[in-house]
Amino acid sequence: EDQVTQSPEALRLQEGESSSLNCSYTVSGLRGLFWYRQDPGKGPEFLFTLYSAGEEKEKERLKATLTKKESFLHITAPKPEDSATYLCAVQPSNTGTASKLTFGTGTRLQVTL
Amino acid sequence: AAGVIQSPRHLIKEKRETATLKCYPIPRHDTVYWYQQGPGQDPQFLISFYEKMQSDKGSIPDRFSAQQFSDYHSELNMSSLELGDSALYFCASSDRTSTDTQYFGPGTRLTVL
């Protein structure tokens, strides 16, 4: 069964204090690893898709990386508006169309002034 | 850019009542997914449809059913509602012929009293 574990559960940073969020996964063949941002009571907002080990993607202050066992979301010089829950999800390659995502429980990030 | 539309946004029902949630995917997206998110939990996959056919099935109770229509919108029908069904219900859509990234709607908050 696919499993996703995220750490830490919660993270409090000061504005400008860079850090990394971890996502460890086990899946029988990885089709894609996804990062989403979710604000309270709202739908997950797509950030990145990573398909193979060694791949990296960047968007503003965020950078996602992927190895064969884990992914990291690096946040550089965060701002208060980056405060949200960051969800990691995996999509297996051994299923047919419309494959489900298996999510981790997320990291709640709070960025203070 | 157009996003996934869900209606209603909020729904309050009594135990044993029925509810119907609607999802309108992003234009030209051919695949729809339904997820349930309880308080403080990660989204759990319920069911998916590709080209109007059921594709994958997760932990969806037998009391729930869903379908995708000819215009690609989808409906989740929930009967004999229980208190434990109170949750956020998200619909996501993807273009199977493209990146297959799942884009989420704003969700329907269902409260069962």
Side-chain angles (χ1 to χ4, degrees):
Chain A
E1 186 176 323
D2 304 335
Q3 275 197 310
V4 180
T5 303
Q6 291 188 246
S7 62
E9 286 187 14
L11 182 61
R12 186 183 173 108
L13 298 174
Q14 286 198 318
E15 185 175 14
E17 181 186 0
S18 302
S19 187
S20 295
L21 281 53
N22 177 263
C23 170
S24 299
Y25 65 92
T26 50
V27 62
S28 52
L30 181 69
R31 186 175 193 171
L33 184 141
F34 299 80
W35 282 98
Y36 289 87
R37 168 195 170 125
Q38 187 175 29
D39 293 300
K42 297 191 175 181
E45 176 189 344
F46 170 71
L47 294 174
F48 303 109
T49 309
L50 301 166
Y51 294 103
S52 57
E55 190 174 359
E56 299 183 352
K57 288 193 176 171
E58 280 188 75
K59 179 182 178 181
E60 296 180 352
R61 295 178 293 282
L62 300 177
K63 179 180 177 180
T65 61
L66 180 66
T67 72
K68 287 187 178 179
K69 293 184 178 180
E70 56 191 351
S71 177
F72 292 93
L73 184 65
H74 307 278
I75 303 177
T76 302
K79 297 182 178 182
E81 53 261 41
D82 295 322
S83 299
T85 295
Y86 290 84
L87 295 167
C88 172
V90 296
Q91 187 177 48
S93 61
N94 61 346
T95 57
T97 57
S99 301
K100 68 176 186 179
L101 294 177
T102 297
F103 283 88
T105 51
T107 293
R108 289 189 316 278
L109 174 65
Q110 183 180 14
V111 183
T112 59
L113 292 170
Chain B
V4 176
I5 297 172
Q6 291 188 246
S7 68
R9 297 293 310 280
H10 302 273
L11 192 56
I12 299 175
K13 291 286 184 178
E14 300 278 343
K15 278 173 53 178
R16 293 180 289 277
E17 284 191 321
T18 61
T20 297
L21 279 54
K22 296 185 179 183
C23 168
Y24 298 86
I26 293 171
R28 291 179 294 281
H29 279 195
D30 50 18
T31 308
V32 167
Y33 311 77
W34 286 96
Y35 292 83
Q36 177 192 59
Q37 187 175 31
Q41 298 181 358
D42 55 290
Q44 295 290 317
F45 172 75
L46 294 177
I47 195 167
S48 62
F49 295 87
Y50 169 64
E51 283 291 345
K52 294 153 279 183
M53 299 284 289
Q54 182 181 307
S55 181
D56 199 1
K57 200 170 182 180
S59 49
I60 183 169
D62 292 339
R63 300 177 288 109
F64 294 6
S65 65
Q67 57 183 324
Q68 186 179 29
F69 295 86
S70 58
D71 64 351
Y72 293 97
H73 95 272
S74 179
E75 295 183 3
L76 178 65
N77 299 293
M78 310 160 73
S79 63
S80 303
L81 288 169
E82 302 174 355
L83 297 178
D85 296 329
S86 296
L88 271 167
Y89 289 84
F90 292 108
C91 171
S93 74
S94 70
D95 178 359
R96 184 70 180 83
T97 62
S98 179
T99 64
D100 206 19
T101 294
Q102 295 182 28
Y103 294 90
F104 284 75
T108 294
R109 181 176 293 281
L110 173 66
T111 302
V112 181
L113 303 175

